[in-house]
Amino acid sequence: IKDAESLELAQKINAVVLDKTGTITEGKPVVNEMKWFHADSDKFKAILYSIEKQSEHPLAEAIVNYLASSNLSHPNDDLYLKGIQIENESGKGIRGIYEGENYFVGNLKFIQNQNLELNPGIQNWFDNELNQARTVILFSNSKEILAGISISDSIKNSSKQAIQKLQNSGIEVYMQTGDNESTAKSVAEQVGIKHFCAGVLPEDKVNFIKELQSQGKIVAMAGDGINDSAALAQSNVGIAMGKGSDIAIESAKMTI
């Protein structure tokens, strides 16, 4: 606990905003399937691995671990390509530049922003994974979608009980997540959250907290990622998960 003020404010909290990944869920995502839509997958696996290896996001870590464990033909070090430049697009994905070509790893909207569309085969696979409440990441270059990665993350055993305790105390609980609508709805239903919003960007989380504060609410925000840091700073009491990013911990008044 960083200061006395946050402790004094904590007893006045009447609204709590929760991030999903790593807060309600374990934050230990695993890859269920990596579906390649391009024949030359070995070359692109190394590019995907090298881009994600440079990211701190939990989903990136899951992809790196999956590629490393399934890559039987080469040692893991051979997968890593030097000279890839990356740019993080907060809340959307990551861009990599290798040998003059742009590569994109992120959500559907991020890929569509590159003027790429899902053909019927990719769309069917994508919809099927969403129907199973999984997080779906797409990997493309500037011309075509190369692969789809479906990822799942289990809910913490304590989440439902903790949320119920907050609600029983008269505290409103909201979930804000950058994940897709299907996965967000499934998680919200399982833990008993009625108010949730999916596909939000970091600035959307900040604006939502400002909106609650304009209604006179004392707002706590709990999160663990870089994408949560601005919202943690905006809230009356920011609460960071101790296993989260350094930026989230720095932005929060309290760390669990």
Side-chain angles (χ1 to χ4, degrees):
I1 298 170
K2 285 187 182 170
D3 56 35
E5 184 190 8
S6 58
L7 201 56
E8 290 166 5
L9 273 173
Q11 66 171 331
K12 299 175 184 176
I13 291 165
N14 51 22
V16 172
V17 179
L18 302 173
D19 176 48
K20 178 181 73 67
T21 304
T23 305
I24 296 173
T25 67
E26 292 282 2
K28 298 173 185 173
V30 293
V31 172
N32 296 100
E33 184 184 9
M34 189 171 288
K35 181 79 171 176
W36 286 92
F37 307 117
H38 194 285
D40 193 11
S41 63
D42 279 349
K43 171 192 171 185
F44 293 121
K45 276 179 185 174
I47 293 170
L48 176 60
Y49 179 92
S50 304
I51 291 170
E52 294 292 65
K53 187 74 174 171
Q54 298 181 65
S55 172
E56 289 185 358
H57 199 283
L59 298 184
E61 187 180 350
I63 293 168
V64 165
N65 290 341
Y66 180 86
L67 284 168
S69 63
S70 62
N71 183 54
L72 302 175
S73 55
H74 303 286
N76 295 342
D77 289 347
D78 289 356
L79 272 175
Y80 189 73
L81 304 171
K82 293 177 181 174
I84 288 188
Q85 298 172 280
I86 67 158
E87 295 172 11
N88 282 297
E89 303 262 350
S90 189
K92 298 174 187 174
I94 189 168
R95 178 199 307 262
I97 304 165
Y98 182 64
E99 293 184 341
E101 174 63 287
N102 284 301
Y103 294 89
F104 307 92
V105 191
N107 59 29
L108 176 61
K109 192 179 287 185
F110 183 55
I111 298 301
Q112 287 176 329
N113 285 346
Q114 317 313 322
N115 296 316
L116 296 172
E117 292 298 331
L118 279 62
N119 66 36
I122 298 174
Q123 186 73 59
N124 285 338
W125 178 85
F126 187 89
D127 291 342
N128 183 57
E129 296 305 312
L130 286 189
N131 289 337
Q132 297 177 69
R134 291 171 177 167
T135 301
V136 182
I137 303 295
L138 295 171
F139 172 47
S140 80
N141 56 20
S142 59
K143 304 178 192 71
E144 60 184 318
I145 297 170
L146 304 168
I149 305 112
S150 79
I151 298 172
S152 59
D153 185 12
S154 57
I155 294 169
K156 289 177 185 172
N157 292 331
S158 57
S159 289
K160 185 174 182 179
Q161 184 185 8
I163 288 161
Q164 198 166 22
K165 279 186 177 180
L166 289 167
Q167 291 168 335
N168 291 345
S169 302
I171 295 170
E172 294 173 1
V173 181
Y174 305 85
M175 183 178 80
Q176 297 270 300
T177 178
D179 211 337
N180 66 75
E181 183 79 19
S182 301
T183 303
K185 185 180 180 189
S186 174
V187 169
E189 286 176 349
Q190 289 179 66
V191 297
I193 292 178
K194 298 189 181 92
H195 311 289
F196 72 92
C197 199
V200 298
L201 297 172
E203 57 265 33
D204 297 327
K205 292 180 183 179
V206 173
N207 290 332
F208 180 71
I209 289 169
K210 284 180 179 176
E211 185 184 328
L212 292 175
Q213 289 169 329
S214 72
Q215 298 167 18
K217 298 191 189 302
I218 308 297
V219 183
M221 163 74 193
D224 75 324
I226 293 169
N227 293 342
D228 301 316
S229 56
L232 288 166
Q234 175 62 42
S235 66
N236 301 92
V237 182
I239 303 168
M241 298 292 125
K243 292 182 180 177
S245 73
D246 292 343
I247 296 172
I249 291 168
E250 186 63 35
S251 302
K253 294 284 182 73
M254 297 184 182
T255 300
I256 298 174

